[in-house]
Amino acid sequence: MADRGGVGEAAAVGASPASVPGLNPTLGWRERLRAGLAGTGASLWFVAGLGLLYALRIPLRLCENLAAVTVFLNSLTPKFYVALTGTSSLISGLIFIFEWWYFHKHGTSFIEQVSVSHLQPLMGGTESSISEPGSPSRNRENETSRQNLSVMQKAWRERNPPARIKAAYQALELNNDCATAYVLLAEEEATTIVDAERLFKQALKAGETIYRQSQQCQHQSPQHEAQLRRDTNVLVYIKRRLAMCARKLGRIREAVKIMRDLMKEFPPLTMLNIHENLLESLLELQAYPDVQAVLAKYDDISLPKSAAICYTAALLKTRTVSEKFSPETASRRGLSTAEINAVEAIHRAVEFNPHVPKYLLEMKSLILPPEHILKRGDSEAIAYAFFHLQHWKRIEGALNLLQCTWEGTFRMIPYPLEKGHLFYPYPSCTETADRELLPTFHHVSVYPKKELPLFIHFTAGFCSSTAMIAILTHQFPEIMGIFAKAVLGLWCPQPWASSGFEENTQDLKSEDLGLSSG
């Protein structure tokens, strides 16, 4: 059930992203007054502490103690600092080794787990501490909700799939309406799309109930507002996954309707990339005017870009000219305005992600897309080509135009990549991240190719050849002497050069044998 919806979709279910405008009302006057008094109280306590310290400076003999501390620090030898540095390094190394062992055994950081489980409740910073005084039934519901949240947080952090599934069933035993548990089972345990859709429908039913309850309590405290944001993200994620199930099962119009309703009901939630899934579904329906309408809204300079947006825009402009395009004809008469627009759109898309054309043109083997992708990386290129190659093949001549023009992009981009042409410079960290996201058998596409300058090649060759000649001369002096005489004979055929070289060779031999005169 992995698709190219974005990086870390599973983590988005249990997280609490930014607030959704229109869903979270502003704080009341009591909350604002309480926050103002809290800030003022902290400032007053700070000023009072400074005043008390100044008043007690003489009884406490602060100046004398400060002078004594200064003398003590000045009297420390370098051995103390070396010992202090070595001890701190040893302790840091032990902590690192323990964290590494704990992470590989339990799939989470020990320090993070302790902070989440123990420190945040003491500081009042968790979303699970939403317990208001009320009836016993209300308190039991809050306790169950806290337990479910704790179990599912551990489940999402767990790296072992059977342990994740076991934790999801444990959450369902505590509360049969735990939406995130159904989501995890649909993602991890379902073997077919039909089974996943059935679990997502159960998650939708539970998620809508929890969402309505959160809407009723959102004005009570900031914790309830945070809970509403979390439940909103869970509900949107479930509906989007149901739309993707409908798309995979061939019910494309139903999928389009669900996605349009989501974008209309929750317009700020663009981080789930619902519009990219909508673009692919509309392309499958060959509803090109609707695709253009979606691009007009989301292909904006102020919004984040993706390979789906850039290459879909290029595909639509290519569609108008690709059927009659011919390289020979274009070279004779030049490019028309529509062809120039299509070529510029292709260059724009290639600059954003230069790895995609090789997969669309089948110059590289295509594999299943990974669960997570990196924008502008090889993983994003694989995910885009996997889902959109059929749409490029459907338009006659589109791949031909792409093949004739995509390499011209690199002539417009400055090299080295200190700045881009239409986008920011291509990041240099994509190769390392893609190697972690993609399987080991896949040959990761690298851009730009790391080419060494000619001077470095020349220097390396010159140093290597000099070292080799020195070793050979040391091991085989007579043979190398004959070889050198022959080389000098070719370059300097004059008799005086040969005789001078022979005399120098004889002198060197006599010195080596200890027969030098004198």
Side-chain angles (χ1 to χ4, degrees):
M1 289 300 299
D3 63 352
R4 57 177 184 83
V7 180
E9 289 180 342
V13 177
S16 298
S19 60
V20 182
L23 294 176
N24 302 318
T26 58
L27 296 177
W29 65 271
R30 294 182 179 177
E31 287 77 7
R32 291 198 298 269
L33 180 60
R34 187 181 299 113
L37 291 177
T40 306
S43 303
L44 290 176
W45 276 111
F46 180 74
V47 173
L50 289 179
L52 182 62
L53 190 64
Y54 179 78
L56 297 177
R57 71 187 188 281
I58 297 177
L60 296 177
R61 296 186 296 179
L62 294 180
C63 296
E64 297 177 5
N65 293 332
L66 183 61
V69 171
T70 304
V71 172
F72 173 75
L73 293 177
N74 291 332
S75 64
L76 294 176
T77 61
K79 294 182 180 179
F80 171 79
Y81 293 103
V82 172
L84 180 63
T85 305
T87 305
S88 60
S89 301
L90 176 63
I91 295 174
S92 301
L94 293 176
I95 294 174
F96 174 77
I97 293 173
F98 175 74
E99 276 284 301
W100 177 82
W101 169 82
Y102 193 88
F103 180 81
H104 278 268
K105 184 176 181 179
H106 300 281
T108 183
S109 168
F110 176 77
I111 298 176
E112 178 187 358
Q113 187 175 7
V114 169
S115 63
V116 169
S117 303
H118 302 286
L119 298 182
Q120 285 189 3
L122 296 177
M123 300 169 60
T126 62
E127 296 178 5
S128 58
S129 58
I130 308 176
S131 58
E132 297 290 334
S135 61
S137 61
R138 181 63 178 173
N139 293 333
R140 284 194 298 270
E141 290 178 3
N142 290 334
E143 182 65 25
T144 303
S145 177
R146 286 196 299 271
Q147 293 178 358
N148 280 338
L149 183 60
S150 177
V151 171
M152 291 310 301
Q153 282 179 341
K154 293 179 181 179
W156 287 117
R157 289 196 299 265
E158 181 63 52
R159 301 184 69 186
N160 188 16
R164 292 157 68 97
I165 296 173
K166 182 179 178 181
Y169 280 115
Q170 182 181 354
L172 289 176
E173 291 177 0
L174 295 172
N175 181 12
N176 195 36
D177 290 334
C178 183
T180 52
Y182 288 115
V183 170
L184 192 147
L185 292 177
E187 299 280 359
E188 302 285 344
E189 192 181 37
T191 56
T192 63
I193 300 178
V194 176
D195 294 339
E197 186 181 32
R198 175 180 54 81
L199 289 170
F200 276 123
K201 286 181 178 180
Q202 291 179 277
L204 178 62
K205 182 179 179 181
E208 287 178 340
T209 302
I210 298 174
Y211 177 70
R212 285 193 295 268
Q213 294 175 356
S214 300
Q215 279 186 318
Q216 296 173 358
C217 303
Q218 61 177 320
H219 302 284
Q220 295 183 7
S221 66
Q223 287 79 15
H224 286 89
E225 293 181 3
Q227 184 184 18
L228 176 63
R229 289 195 298 269
R230 187 191 69 222
D231 295 338
T232 301
N233 288 315
V234 171
L235 182 63
V236 172
Y237 181 86
I238 294 171
K239 288 185 176 181
R240 174 181 174 265
R241 299 301 272 177
L242 280 172
M244 295 307 300
C245 290
R247 164 68 183 90
K248 295 296 183 182
L249 294 174
R251 305 195 305 269
I252 305 176
R253 297 191 182 278
E254 178 184 346
V256 169
K257 183 180 184 304
I258 295 175
M259 294 176 193
R260 288 188 184 278
D261 293 341
L262 275 177
M263 293 168 61
K264 187 181 300 182
E265 188 176 0
F266 306 99
L269 294 181
T270 58
M271 70 281 189
L272 294 178
N273 300 323
I274 303 173
H275 56 282
E276 296 184 13
N277 302 127
L278 179 60
L279 285 175
E280 197 277 330
S281 300
L282 292 174
L283 286 173
E284 181 65 23
L285 293 174
Q286 301 185 32
Y288 298 113
D290 295 335
V291 175
Q292 185 62 52
V294 175
L295 286 176
K297 183 177 181 181
Y298 288 96
D299 193 7
D300 186 78
I301 191 172
S302 61
L303 297 177
K305 299 294 182 294
S306 65
I309 291 177
C310 295
Y311 278 90
T312 302
L315 178 63
L316 290 188
K317 293 186 178 180
T318 301
R319 173 176 167 269
T320 60
V321 298
S322 60
E323 186 175 355
K324 299 180 181 179
F325 178 79
S326 172
E328 295 79 9
T329 306
S331 61
R332 286 198 308 268
R333 62 171 174 78
L335 296 175
S336 62
T337 303
E339 291 173 341
I340 291 175
N341 293 334
V343 172
E344 288 179 349
I346 291 176
H347 287 176
R348 172 178 178 265
V350 174
E351 181 182 352
F352 181 83
N353 194 320
H355 310 288
V356 174
K358 289 186 178 180
Y359 294 106
L360 292 179
L361 299 173
E362 300 180 84
M363 299 168 62
K364 288 194 65 177
S365 58
L366 196 59
I367 63 174
L368 288 174
E371 182 179 0
H372 307 302
I373 64 173
L374 177 69
K375 289 292 182 70
R376 306 188 74 176
D378 192 30
S379 54
E380 184 192 29
I382 292 173
Y384 173 80
F386 185 86
F387 291 102
H388 288 258
L389 178 59
Q390 55 180 336
H391 306 313
W392 281 81
K393 287 184 175 181
R394 186 181 294 124
I395 298 176
E396 184 179 357
L399 292 175
N400 179 38
L401 181 58
L402 177 66
Q403 184 177 11
C404 296
T405 57
W406 74 277
E407 291 183 341
T409 308
F410 307 116
R411 292 193 295 267
M412 302 186 305
I413 302 176
Y415 188 84
L417 300 178
E418 72 278 359
K419 61 179 181 179
H421 180 61
L422 297 175
F423 299 99
Y424 287 108
Y426 190 82
S428 59
C429 59
T430 57
E431 179 183 359
T432 304
D434 280 330
R435 291 190 187 279
E436 296 180 0
L437 295 173
L438 296 170
T440 55
F441 62 83
H442 175 71
H443 181 66
V444 177
S445 178
V446 180
Y447 175 81
K449 295 292 184 181
K450 296 176 174 58
E451 299 177 355
L452 294 176
L454 177 62
F455 174 75
I456 295 181
H457 288 286
F458 173 76
T459 304
F462 179 75
C463 294
S464 302
S465 59
T466 304
M468 185 62 66
I469 292 173
I471 294 173
L472 292 175
T473 304
H474 179 73
Q475 295 292 332
F476 312 102
E478 296 182 357
I479 298 176
M480 291 302 296
I482 297 173
F483 176 75
K485 184 168 65 174
V487 172
L488 288 177
L490 293 175
W491 287 92
C492 304
Q494 292 85 355
W496 58 267
S498 176
S499 60
F501 178 77
E502 291 177 356
E503 293 175 0
N504 293 333
T505 306
Q506 293 296 331
D507 292 341
L508 291 174
K509 289 182 179 180
S510 60
E511 289 178 0
D512 292 337
L513 296 174
L515 301 176
S516 59
S517 59

